[in-house]
Amino acid sequence: MNISTYTVKPKLPPALKPLEEIACNLWLSWNYDAIQLFIRLDYDTWLKSQQSPMRTLGMVSQEKLAQTAKDDSYLAALKEVYDRFQRYKKGETWYRGSHKDVVAYFSMEYGMDVSLPIYSGGLGILSGDHMKTSSDMGLPLVGIGLLYRQGYFTQMLNADGFQQESYPENDWYNMPVERKNGKDGQPLKITVDLAGRQAVAQIWEAKVGRSSLYLLDTNIEENSQDLRNITASLYGGDKETRMQQEVLLGIGGIRALRALGINPAATHMNEGHAAFLGLERVREIMEERGFTFEEAREAVWPTNIFTTHTPVPAGNERFEIAMMEKYFRSWPQVLGISWKDFLGLGRIYTGDERETFCMTVLALKMAAYANGVAKLHGVVSRDMWKGIWPGLPIDEIPIGHVTNGVHPRTWISSGMMDLLDRYFGPGFVDKPTDLKIWERMDRISDEELWRTHERRRERLVAFVRERINAQYVRTGAGRIRQAEDALSPYALTLCFARRFATYKRGNLLLRDPERLLRLVRDRDRPVQLIFAGKAHPHDMPGKELIREIVHFAEKYDVTSRIVFVENYDMNVAKYLTSGGDVWLNTPRRPMEASGTSGMKAAMNGVLNCSILDGWWDEAYCPEVGWAIGHGEQYHDDNLQDDIESKALYDLLEREIIPLFYDRGRDGLPREWIKLMKECMKQIGQSMSCHRMLMDYSNQFYFPALKNYRRFSKDGYAEAKSLAAYFNKLQQSWGNLKIAKLESNAKPVMHRGDTLTVTAYIDLGNVLPDEVQVELYHGTVSSQNKEIANASKTEMKWIKNEGSLNLYQVRVECIDTGMQGHTVRILPKHDALVHPYRAGFIKWA
């Protein structure tokens, strides 16, 4: 069948034309008054459109549009919003530098808004908040991702409480994305080689305030059906589909930016999915400059940034060697290296032929800057990947941390935001990086804050009742009347909403049915629980957890007090994080890399009760919420579940419930409100995405862009010099020898004494200024005789003594107790971001 296609757009009256521009920019997703414009057009249509502004415009009748175009009240609201939108795009920002060279941010998923369903969970929501905050701050950053035809699945529970999935198709022509065309008016396209076949992708743009997100799409006629299916669904298909998606994201993403005329001077790999971009950037420079692999690698290494999100080895993407051979067998020839060396780029132990190819390892080896997503996750990551840097003390492994954050205006409810705007003043909008503004929480009266929160709880209850009713209608469960009185708008409401993986322990609170039932059946101080979250389609234990919760409520006839809300997405999350009273999080420490849902809740005044894991490990103090346990880690899962479930019950019975229901004569829980204010003040400052982006900018983005400008000068002369330097070190490193150490240390030294250490080093043909010789000193642990909390002091070259080089240093004895020292050698070159390169460390 030969079908001619064309696009039909809504015909808006001139007075309503600004609506089209607003609908096409995801700025509206964090500006509720902009969303209100579409709700006001026609509320029923808004609901039918699944809260999509673009689709709403297409669905509203021409008569209704004509009528609205004459409504002076509506036009005044439209003008106010549109004027503010224009001021936002043109206004002054935190970053005021050049946008000629950009940081390209690569992520597998983006949670921008319910109207653009190309996300599954935390990674995507973080990427979406990253893009929005980048826009607020005016950063020179663009996003790269994939445009999934089906996005992530829609979750439905059957009458037995078992999760089922459906995969609705996305209609891009009614969504806030626009296909990019070239100068000839035809769609811009790029190709990538997939095991000898050329896959073609077109490029779409989603405007995010001042920023742009570019999305690749292979669902076009040039491709055969299997290649069209590469962008069919997020995390769908098999391992081969995943390989194809990651080649398209990493290699295709760089090519897409080139096709758009954008120079990715620095790249940020958000998780290992995009790690192949490192190979493509190396290939580009080799082709343009005639460089060797080592020279090109030194040119891009200082401009690559990598963020790891996974604290368990099994969660890091690995490909079998047969799969690598199928898709990358030609690459060693392109890069001028051996097949063994190519595979070594993705192996912890380069020569281990049994090891599979790991995307996280590739990213770590290709990036000068690497980080975990919370302080504790940084510690866990350094321990996980220490094998890449043999001989390097674990606290020096070059993986830092930038704790995640959330975009406040996306996640704080409209009612609470109105209250904050009123008391915080215009600076809260105009200067989002001024985090001290949260100190003004104390200006808000207890009454206003509590009434605002109570309204959110009422809305949450109404929303959940609607959802349950729709679920009962669909499953024919015959319990419609139960939905009408499910939950109470006045009861203490605990929310647990996240991906249903077993380590997150969604059923921890069900462990002692008797204690739990006593809490939820208490007439004087009732407690109610709302659960939500999706299990991965292939995760049967995760699905069983959901079923267990549903069955528990039915078995003990507490379906009005314990409910499970289907299809957890951004919309559901906004109701839960703003309407609950306590946010529960019960992962097995240290398996939660960061987590961000608790931050969203905290900024709405919802108090956290969580295991000390992820972000809560560093944010917790008794003034802002509750900690379950003290950060212990167990080897026996069953014992851990027993101990921590009892600790959770104790907290609820002894602290949380009494505090919530302790009311004064005015009906206000003053002590609870005090915690709410302190929680909003502290978490609003420390866990704002604007703090996160300032950290990324100052620690990584600005240095990486500076490195690009430095290294690209004079035909990348510095990269060539660095490659030659490491080539020389490679040949000589095995012969370097610390021949002798001397010191004036006596069995007993006194504080204030000077310790002099001399090292005699055989450098072979390496020059003294080509290495960094350090005294490594500190307190010696009595248990394992290692130096703990070591200090590093560079030693000075003094002179030659025959074939040996004499280095010396003097340090003051400051700490008491058992002290020790040794000497080590590291690389030293002006162009090095840091000296911790795999295989280059020599100890005495």
PDB file of all heavy atoms in Angstrom, residues 179-201:
ATOM      1  N   ARG A 179      11.736  17.726  14.312  1.00  0.00           N
ATOM      2  CA  ARG A 179      12.765  17.083  13.500  1.00  0.00           C
ATOM      3  C   ARG A 179      13.696  18.143  12.928  1.00  0.00           C
ATOM      4  O   ARG A 179      13.244  19.178  12.436  1.00  0.00           O
ATOM      5  CB  ARG A 179      12.111  16.270  12.381  1.00  0.00           C
ATOM      6  CG  ARG A 179      13.068  15.323  11.687  1.00  0.00           C
ATOM      7  CD  ARG A 179      12.344  14.298  10.873  1.00  0.00           C
ATOM      8  NE  ARG A 179      11.396  14.924   9.948  1.00  0.00           N
ATOM      9  CZ  ARG A 179      10.530  14.251   9.215  1.00  0.00           C
ATOM     10  NH1 ARG A 179      10.475  12.941   9.301  1.00  0.00           N
ATOM     11  NH2 ARG A 179       9.715  14.870   8.392  1.00  0.00           N
ATOM     12  N   LYS A 180      14.994  17.876  12.966  1.00  0.00           N
ATOM     13  CA  LYS A 180      15.979  18.844  12.475  1.00  0.00           C
ATOM     14  C   LYS A 180      16.234  18.620  10.989  1.00  0.00           C
ATOM     15  O   LYS A 180      16.476  17.493  10.552  1.00  0.00           O
ATOM     16  CB  LYS A 180      17.296  18.708  13.243  1.00  0.00           C
ATOM     17  CG  LYS A 180      17.184  18.974  14.722  1.00  0.00           C
ATOM     18  CD  LYS A 180      16.648  20.370  15.043  1.00  0.00           C
ATOM     19  CE  LYS A 180      17.635  21.469  14.728  1.00  0.00           C
ATOM     20  NZ  LYS A 180      17.086  22.801  15.029  1.00  0.00           N
ATOM     21  N   ASN A 181      16.190  19.690  10.247  1.00  0.00           N
ATOM     22  CA  ASN A 181      16.433  19.637   8.806  1.00  0.00           C
ATOM     23  C   ASN A 181      17.737  20.335   8.463  1.00  0.00           C
ATOM     24  O   ASN A 181      18.195  21.233   9.176  1.00  0.00           O
ATOM     25  CB  ASN A 181      15.286  20.305   8.044  1.00  0.00           C
ATOM     26  CG  ASN A 181      13.984  19.535   8.200  1.00  0.00           C
ATOM     27  OD1 ASN A 181      13.996  18.320   8.356  1.00  0.00           O
ATOM     28  ND2 ASN A 181      12.869  20.246   8.180  1.00  0.00           N
ATOM     29  N   GLY A 182      18.320  19.916   7.335  1.00  0.00           N
ATOM     30  CA  GLY A 182      19.527  20.564   6.838  1.00  0.00           C
ATOM     31  C   GLY A 182      19.188  21.797   6.023  1.00  0.00           C
ATOM     32  O   GLY A 182      18.017  22.198   5.902  1.00  0.00           O
ATOM     33  N   LYS A 183      20.203  22.401   5.403  1.00  0.00           N
ATOM     34  CA  LYS A 183      19.977  23.610   4.598  1.00  0.00           C
ATOM     35  C   LYS A 183      19.104  23.336   3.388  1.00  0.00           C
ATOM     36  O   LYS A 183      18.457  24.235   2.858  1.00  0.00           O
ATOM     37  CB  LYS A 183      21.333  24.180   4.143  1.00  0.00           C
ATOM     38  CG  LYS A 183      22.123  24.785   5.301  1.00  0.00           C
ATOM     39  CD  LYS A 183      23.485  25.264   4.858  1.00  0.00           C
ATOM     40  CE  LYS A 183      24.267  25.829   6.047  1.00  0.00           C
ATOM     41  NZ  LYS A 183      25.655  26.151   5.694  1.00  0.00           N
ATOM     42  N   ASP A 184      19.067  22.069   2.956  1.00  0.00           N
ATOM     43  CA  ASP A 184      18.242  21.713   1.799  1.00  0.00           C
ATOM     44  C   ASP A 184      16.789  21.438   2.171  1.00  0.00           C
ATOM     45  O   ASP A 184      15.976  21.059   1.321  1.00  0.00           O
ATOM     46  CB  ASP A 184      18.826  20.475   1.095  1.00  0.00           C
ATOM     47  CG  ASP A 184      18.920  19.272   2.038  1.00  0.00           C
ATOM     48  OD1 ASP A 184      18.525  19.402   3.224  1.00  0.00           O
ATOM     49  OD2 ASP A 184      19.376  18.203   1.581  1.00  0.00           O
ATOM     50  N   GLY A 185      16.462  21.624   3.465  1.00  0.00           N
ATOM     51  CA  GLY A 185      15.090  21.398   3.913  1.00  0.00           C
ATOM     52  C   GLY A 185      14.772  19.945   4.196  1.00  0.00           C
ATOM     53  O   GLY A 185      13.675  19.619   4.634  1.00  0.00           O
ATOM     54  N   GLN A 186      15.729  19.058   3.935  1.00  0.00           N
ATOM     55  CA  GLN A 186      15.516  17.631   4.177  1.00  0.00           C
ATOM     56  C   GLN A 186      16.002  17.261   5.585  1.00  0.00           C
ATOM     57  O   GLN A 186      16.907  17.905   6.126  1.00  0.00           O
ATOM     58  CB  GLN A 186      16.284  16.800   3.138  1.00  0.00           C
ATOM     59  CG  GLN A 186      15.775  16.971   1.714  1.00  0.00           C
ATOM     60  CD  GLN A 186      14.303  16.623   1.591  1.00  0.00           C
ATOM     61  OE1 GLN A 186      13.867  15.540   1.962  1.00  0.00           O
ATOM     62  NE2 GLN A 186      13.509  17.581   1.083  1.00  0.00           N
ATOM     63  N   PRO A 187      15.418  16.217   6.188  1.00  0.00           N
ATOM     64  CA  PRO A 187      15.831  15.820   7.544  1.00  0.00           C
ATOM     65  C   PRO A 187      17.329  15.522   7.606  1.00  0.00           C
ATOM     66  O   PRO A 187      17.882  14.866   6.723  1.00  0.00           O
ATOM     67  CB  PRO A 187      15.016  14.555   7.811  1.00  0.00           C
ATOM     68  CG  PRO A 187      13.817  14.679   6.931  1.00  0.00           C
ATOM     69  CD  PRO A 187      14.290  15.392   5.704  1.00  0.00           C
ATOM     70  N   LEU A 188      17.980  16.031   8.656  1.00  0.00           N
ATOM     71  CA  LEU A 188      19.395  15.723   8.899  1.00  0.00           C
ATOM     72  C   LEU A 188      19.515  14.265   9.324  1.00  0.00           C
ATOM     73  O   LEU A 188      18.741  13.800  10.161  1.00  0.00           O
ATOM     74  CB  LEU A 188      19.935  16.604  10.028  1.00  0.00           C
ATOM     75  CG  LEU A 188      20.518  17.965   9.687  1.00  0.00           C
ATOM     76  CD1 LEU A 188      20.998  18.656  10.957  1.00  0.00           C
ATOM     77  CD2 LEU A 188      21.673  17.843   8.699  1.00  0.00           C
ATOM     78  N   LYS A 189      20.481  13.554   8.753  1.00  0.00           N
ATOM     79  CA  LYS A 189      20.645  12.137   9.092  1.00  0.00           C
ATOM     80  C   LYS A 189      22.120  11.801   9.282  1.00  0.00           C
ATOM     81  O   LYS A 189      22.997  12.434   8.674  1.00  0.00           O
ATOM     82  CB  LYS A 189      20.046  11.258   7.988  1.00  0.00           C
ATOM     83  CG  LYS A 189      18.525  11.357   7.930  1.00  0.00           C
ATOM     84  CD  LYS A 189      17.935  10.623   6.740  1.00  0.00           C
ATOM     85  CE  LYS A 189      16.412  10.836   6.719  1.00  0.00           C
ATOM     86  NZ  LYS A 189      15.796  10.364   5.485  1.00  0.00           N
ATOM     87  N   ILE A 190      22.348  10.805  10.122  1.00  0.00           N
ATOM     88  CA  ILE A 190      23.710  10.292  10.314  1.00  0.00           C
ATOM     89  C   ILE A 190      23.659   8.770  10.169  1.00  0.00           C
ATOM     90  O   ILE A 190      22.577   8.178  10.213  1.00  0.00           O
ATOM     91  CB  ILE A 190      24.296  10.691  11.687  1.00  0.00           C
ATOM     92  CG1 ILE A 190      23.405  10.192  12.850  1.00  0.00           C
ATOM     93  CG2 ILE A 190      24.478  12.183  11.782  1.00  0.00           C
ATOM     94  CD1 ILE A 190      23.851   8.940  13.511  1.00  0.00           C
ATOM     95  N   THR A 191      24.821   8.164   9.970  1.00  0.00           N
ATOM     96  CA  THR A 191      24.857   6.690   9.888  1.00  0.00           C
ATOM     97  C   THR A 191      25.879   6.142  10.876  1.00  0.00           C
ATOM     98  O   THR A 191      26.875   6.810  11.203  1.00  0.00           O
ATOM     99  CB  THR A 191      25.241   6.209   8.469  1.00  0.00           C
ATOM    100  OG1 THR A 191      26.535   6.724   8.143  1.00  0.00           O
ATOM    101  CG2 THR A 191      24.226   6.658   7.440  1.00  0.00           C
ATOM    102  N   VAL A 192      25.612   4.927  11.341  1.00  0.00           N
ATOM    103  CA  VAL A 192      26.597   4.198  12.135  1.00  0.00           C
ATOM    104  C   VAL A 192      26.687   2.780  11.581  1.00  0.00           C
ATOM    105  O   VAL A 192      25.698   2.232  11.079  1.00  0.00           O
ATOM    106  CB  VAL A 192      26.231   4.140  13.643  1.00  0.00           C
ATOM    107  CG1 VAL A 192      26.387   5.487  14.291  1.00  0.00           C
ATOM    108  CG2 VAL A 192      24.832   3.592  13.871  1.00  0.00           C
ATOM    109  N   ASP A 193      27.875   2.216  11.673  1.00  0.00           N
ATOM    110  CA  ASP A 193      28.078   0.842  11.206  1.00  0.00           C
ATOM    111  C   ASP A 193      27.689  -0.121  12.325  1.00  0.00           C
ATOM    112  O   ASP A 193      28.188  -0.017  13.447  1.00  0.00           O
ATOM    113  CB  ASP A 193      29.547   0.633  10.820  1.00  0.00           C
ATOM    114  CG  ASP A 193      29.801  -0.795  10.348  1.00  0.00           C
ATOM    115  OD1 ASP A 193      29.613  -1.057   9.156  1.00  0.00           O
ATOM    116  OD2 ASP A 193      30.165  -1.638  11.200  1.00  0.00           O
ATOM    117  N   LEU A 194      26.810  -1.047  12.003  1.00  0.00           N
ATOM    118  CA  LEU A 194      26.397  -2.066  12.970  1.00  0.00           C
ATOM    119  C   LEU A 194      26.675  -3.444  12.377  1.00  0.00           C
ATOM    120  O   LEU A 194      25.893  -3.957  11.577  1.00  0.00           O
ATOM    121  CB  LEU A 194      24.911  -1.918  13.313  1.00  0.00           C
ATOM    122  CG  LEU A 194      24.509  -0.621  14.028  1.00  0.00           C
ATOM    123  CD1 LEU A 194      23.009  -0.537  14.199  1.00  0.00           C
ATOM    124  CD2 LEU A 194      25.198  -0.517  15.393  1.00  0.00           C
ATOM    125  N   ALA A 195      27.833  -3.979  12.721  1.00  0.00           N
ATOM    126  CA  ALA A 195      28.244  -5.307  12.235  1.00  0.00           C
ATOM    127  C   ALA A 195      28.177  -5.384  10.719  1.00  0.00           C
ATOM    128  O   ALA A 195      27.631  -6.333  10.147  1.00  0.00           O
ATOM    129  CB  ALA A 195      27.373  -6.393  12.881  1.00  0.00           C
ATOM    130  N   GLY A 196      28.711  -4.346  10.054  1.00  0.00           N
ATOM    131  CA  GLY A 196      28.768  -4.353   8.593  1.00  0.00           C
ATOM    132  C   GLY A 196      27.534  -3.795   7.914  1.00  0.00           C
ATOM    133  O   GLY A 196      27.503  -3.665   6.692  1.00  0.00           O
ATOM    134  N   ARG A 197      26.519  -3.416   8.664  1.00  0.00           N
ATOM    135  CA  ARG A 197      25.309  -2.811   8.084  1.00  0.00           C
ATOM    136  C   ARG A 197      25.241  -1.354   8.518  1.00  0.00           C
ATOM    137  O   ARG A 197      25.591  -1.005   9.647  1.00  0.00           O
ATOM    138  CB  ARG A 197      24.056  -3.553   8.573  1.00  0.00           C
ATOM    139  CG  ARG A 197      24.079  -5.043   8.236  1.00  0.00           C
ATOM    140  CD  ARG A 197      22.988  -5.777   9.001  1.00  0.00           C
ATOM    141  NE  ARG A 197      21.660  -5.396   8.546  1.00  0.00           N
ATOM    142  CZ  ARG A 197      20.549  -5.575   9.254  1.00  0.00           C
ATOM    143  NH1 ARG A 197      20.611  -6.115  10.461  1.00  0.00           N
ATOM    144  NH2 ARG A 197      19.379  -5.215   8.767  1.00  0.00           N
ATOM    145  N   GLN A 198      24.760  -0.515   7.614  1.00  0.00           N
ATOM    146  CA  GLN A 198      24.669   0.908   7.925  1.00  0.00           C
ATOM    147  C   GLN A 198      23.274   1.237   8.458  1.00  0.00           C
ATOM    148  O   GLN A 198      22.271   1.069   7.765  1.00  0.00           O
ATOM    149  CB  GLN A 198      24.947   1.740   6.663  1.00  0.00           C
ATOM    150  CG  GLN A 198      26.359   1.585   6.111  1.00  0.00           C
ATOM    151  CD  GLN A 198      27.417   1.973   7.128  1.00  0.00           C
ATOM    152  OE1 GLN A 198      27.388   3.087   7.664  1.00  0.00           O
ATOM    153  NE2 GLN A 198      28.356   1.066   7.396  1.00  0.00           N
ATOM    154  N   ALA A 199      23.226   1.688   9.703  1.00  0.00           N
ATOM    155  CA  ALA A 199      21.955   2.135  10.285  1.00  0.00           C
ATOM    156  C   ALA A 199      21.888   3.650  10.166  1.00  0.00           C
ATOM    157  O   ALA A 199      22.845   4.358  10.491  1.00  0.00           O
ATOM    158  CB  ALA A 199      21.859   1.726  11.750  1.00  0.00           C
ATOM    159  N   VAL A 200      20.766   4.135   9.671  1.00  0.00           N
ATOM    160  CA  VAL A 200      20.568   5.580   9.466  1.00  0.00           C
ATOM    161  C   VAL A 200      19.680   6.113  10.588  1.00  0.00           C
ATOM    162  O   VAL A 200      18.708   5.454  10.987  1.00  0.00           O
ATOM    163  CB  VAL A 200      19.897   5.859   8.099  1.00  0.00           C
ATOM    164  CG1 VAL A 200      19.795   7.357   7.844  1.00  0.00           C
ATOM    165  CG2 VAL A 200      20.676   5.167   6.981  1.00  0.00           C
ATOM    166  N   ALA A 201      20.021   7.284  11.114  1.00  0.00           N
ATOM    167  CA  ALA A 201      19.200   7.897  12.170  1.00  0.00           C
ATOM    168  C   ALA A 201      18.936   9.355  11.835  1.00  0.00           C
ATOM    169  O   ALA A 201      19.828  10.055  11.351  1.00  0.00           O
ATOM    170  CB  ALA A 201      19.887   7.785  13.517  1.00  0.00           C
TER     171      ALA A 201
END
